């Protein structure tokens, strides 16, 4: 579910058990990704108790979330999942207790915090971590933030066209495997798939690649992805 959906959507999740169950099922990949990162090893549903704890935290995040506070839901849920896993491993006296970085997620935050207690410093810390990680990802394909800004189309129609190309690139397993292997966009294959003129794709190559990195790794770039995608969906012609 996009973080920019209106408040009525979240109210329905809080009141409609079937809608909530469907949302929890669709969010299992995100929950597993966050929990596995926190524990520094891959977790598997039905095998690892940490995922049950993470699911409980995600479900609590739905109850506690307030849509108009300016905090992306997935960022809020990610924090609660990590906080609950710290508490879980403390109780279990697991060796993983010390491997979870408590400084990065705010040791003062309790699992039952409200959104109003989701302090600005915690948001800033997570944003900074995302920017640092994305900077490294861009560098791996010979791009910078400056390249992304400079390559961003000035008109909404152009942005939407390149955003569509970025989505196709990120979600196509074969095309994205090529990017991961070579660090380059398979321009001819992408043109065939999207039916966008190769010259248009070439002019927007840097932008397409940078945005595709956000989309393909959407669970890591919650703040950045929401900013870029929601901006492009709602942007006006300049």
């Amino acid at each position: 579910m996009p973080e920019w959906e209106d408040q009525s959507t979240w109210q329905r999740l809080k009141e409609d058990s079937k809608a909530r169950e469907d949302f929890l099922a669709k969010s299992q990949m995100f929950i597993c990704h966050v929990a596995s990162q926190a524990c520094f090893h891959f977790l598997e549903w039905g095998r690892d108790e940490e995922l049950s704890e993470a699911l409980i935290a995600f479900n609590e995040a739905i109850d506690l979330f307030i849509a108009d506070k300016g905090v992306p839901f997935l960022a809020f849920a990610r924090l609660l999942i990590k906080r609950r896993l710290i508490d879980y491993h403390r109780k279990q006296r697991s060796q993983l207790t010390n491997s979870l970085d408590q400084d990065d997620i705010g040791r003062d935050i309790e699992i039952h915090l409200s959104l109003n207690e989701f302090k600005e410093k915690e948001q800033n810390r997570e944003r900074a971590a995302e920017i640092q990680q994305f900077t490294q990802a861009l560098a791996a394909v010979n791009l910078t933030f400056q390249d992304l800004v400079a390559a961003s189309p000035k008109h909404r129609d152009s942005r939407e066209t390149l955003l569509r190309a970025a989505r196709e690139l990120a979600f196509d397993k074969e095309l994205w495997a090529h990017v991961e292997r070579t660090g380059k966009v398979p321009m001819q294959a992408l043109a065939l798939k999207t039916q966008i003129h190769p010259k248009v794709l070439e002019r927007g190559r840097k932008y397409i690649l940078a945005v595709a990195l956000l989309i393909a790794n959407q669970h890591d770039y919650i703040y950045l992805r929401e900013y870029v995608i929601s901006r492009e969906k709602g942007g006006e012609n300049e």
Side-chain angles (χ1 to χ4, degrees), residues 2 4 153-157 159-160 163 167 207 225-238:
W4 53 85
K154 294 182 178 180
H155 298 286
R156 182 174 62 185
D157 289 347
R159 286 198 299 265
E160 289 178 349
L163 181 59
R167 285 198 181 98
Y207 179 83
R225 179 176 60 89
E226 182 182 354
Y227 172 76
V228 171
I229 305 303
S230 61
R231 177 177 179 272
E232 308 302 24
K233 287 173 71 68
E236 296 295 333
N237 290 339
E238 296 180 10

Side-chain angles (χ1 to χ4, degrees), residues 20 39-40 93 108 141 148 159 172 180 196 212 217 234:
R20 180 184 290 231
C39 295
F40 291 96
R93 296 183 179 179
D108 298 327
V141 292
L148 176 57
R159 286 198 299 265
D172 187 293
E180 292 183 319
I196 298 173
N217 300 282

Side-chain angles (χ1 to χ4, degrees), residues 63-151:
D63 292 323
L64 295 170
F65 184 68
I66 302 174
D68 61 357
K69 293 296 183 179
V71 177
F73 170 75
L74 293 182
F76 182 59
R78 180 170 61 187
L79 189 77
L80 264 64
I81 289 171
K82 291 181 178 180
R83 177 69 262 180
R84 189 175 186 93
L85 287 174
I86 284 178
D87 291 344
Y88 170 76
H89 285 117
R90 280 176 179 161
K91 292 175 183 177
Q92 297 295 317
R93 296 183 179 179
S94 168
Q95 292 182 351
L96 287 175
T97 300
N98 294 327
S99 71
L100 293 170
D101 191 346
Q102 299 176 28
D103 289 333
D104 284 346
I105 64 177
R107 67 184 67 200
D108 298 327
I109 298 178
E110 299 299 331
I111 189 62
H112 295 296
L113 52 73
S114 70
L115 194 61
N116 289 332
E117 294 171 304
F118 188 59
K119 302 269 173 63
E120 183 177 355
K121 65 179 180 180
E122 305 304 334
Q123 297 178 54
N124 291 340
R125 184 178 288 126
E126 288 217 331
R127 285 192 182 97
E130 283 192 11
I131 290 172
Q132 182 179 17
Q133 184 175 347
F134 189 50
T135 299
Q136 294 172 348
L138 288 173
V141 292
N142 298 312
L143 291 178
T144 66
F145 264 109
Q146 289 72 24
D147 290 329
L148 176 57
V149 173

Side-chain angles (χ1 to χ4, degrees), residues 150-211:
S152 182
K154 294 182 178 180
H155 298 286
R156 182 174 62 185
D157 289 347
S158 297
R159 286 198 299 265
E160 289 178 349
T161 296
L162 297 184
L163 181 59
R164 178 166 66 87
R167 285 198 181 98
E168 294 284 359
L169 178 61
F171 290 138
D172 187 293
K173 291 184 179 180
E174 291 186 6
L175 295 183
W176 191 246
H178 178 91
V179 173
E180 292 183 319
R181 185 172 63 254
T182 67
K184 299 179 179 180
V185 178
M187 302 299 290
Q188 184 176 0
L190 185 60
L192 288 173
K193 184 175 180 63
T194 61
Q195 295 300 300
I196 298 173
H197 197 283
K199 289 185 178 179
V200 174
L201 294 178
E202 182 57 38
R203 285 196 298 268
R205 180 184 60 80
K206 291 182 178 180
Y207 179 83
I208 291 169
L209 182 53
V211 174

Side-chain angles (χ1 to χ4, degrees), residues 7-25:
Q7 189 168 353
S8 63
T9 301
W10 293 104
Q11 194 62 35
R12 183 168 63 88
L13 286 178
K14 294 178 182 181
E15 298 173 352
D16 186 335
S17 59
K18 178 62 167 59
R20 180 184 290 231
E21 288 177 7
D22 291 343
F23 182 50
L24 289 173

